[in-house]
Amino acid sequence: MDALLIGGDSLGQIPDVLALYDIRIARHITGRNTQHQRKVPLPKNTQMLILLTDYLGHNAMRHYRDTAAAHGIPVLACRRSATAVAERLRHDGWQPQA
């Protein structure tokens, strides 16, 4: 599954955690650039949207969440830490791939 990550300057161990769930980062947008905060379309291959909420403004978060909802793309919102991402995935019913 290809995911679009929004927020956070660096991802640390998050790509490793996502790989355990067979999720690939198709694109990462930091959200700091004002051009990234609005009107950036979702890439066509996006199957999941991950919002790292502690490094993302409310307006940008709302824009990406609404855009994903309009396209029927699931949204995962959590803090920018590998542990928080793993906990949120498990909470939403995801299981690590063997």
Side-chain angles (χ1 to χ4, degrees):
M1 174 175 283
D2 290 335
L4 171 64
L5 264 76
I6 310 290
D9 291 333
S10 66
L11 298 177
Q13 298 298 316
I14 292 174
D16 297 335
V17 169
L18 293 175
L20 293 174
Y21 292 86
D22 200 26
I23 299 171
R24 187 179 74 82
I25 299 172
R27 185 170 177 200
H28 172 231
I29 298 173
T30 65
R32 286 200 185 256
N33 186 336
T34 56
Q35 292 176 348
H36 291 167
Q37 294 177 9
R38 294 189 183 147
K39 309 297 187 221
V40 175
L42 298 178
K44 294 199 184 288
N45 61 341
T46 301
Q47 298 169 310
M48 173 185 243
L49 176 67
I50 301 174
L51 299 171
L52 303 176
T53 59
D54 47 352
Y55 287 89
L56 191 59
H58 292 286
N59 289 334
M61 196 177 329
R62 184 177 308 130
H63 164 73
Y64 285 107
R65 188 184 302 259
D66 292 348
T67 302
H71 289 91
I73 297 171
V75 177
L76 180 95
C78 59
R79 298 189 64 204
R80 189 199 60 85
S81 76
T83 304
V85 171
E87 286 176 1
R88 188 63 193 184
L89 284 167
R90 285 193 302 272
H91 179 267
D92 287 356
W94 289 81
Q95 298 295 320
Q97 302 298 311

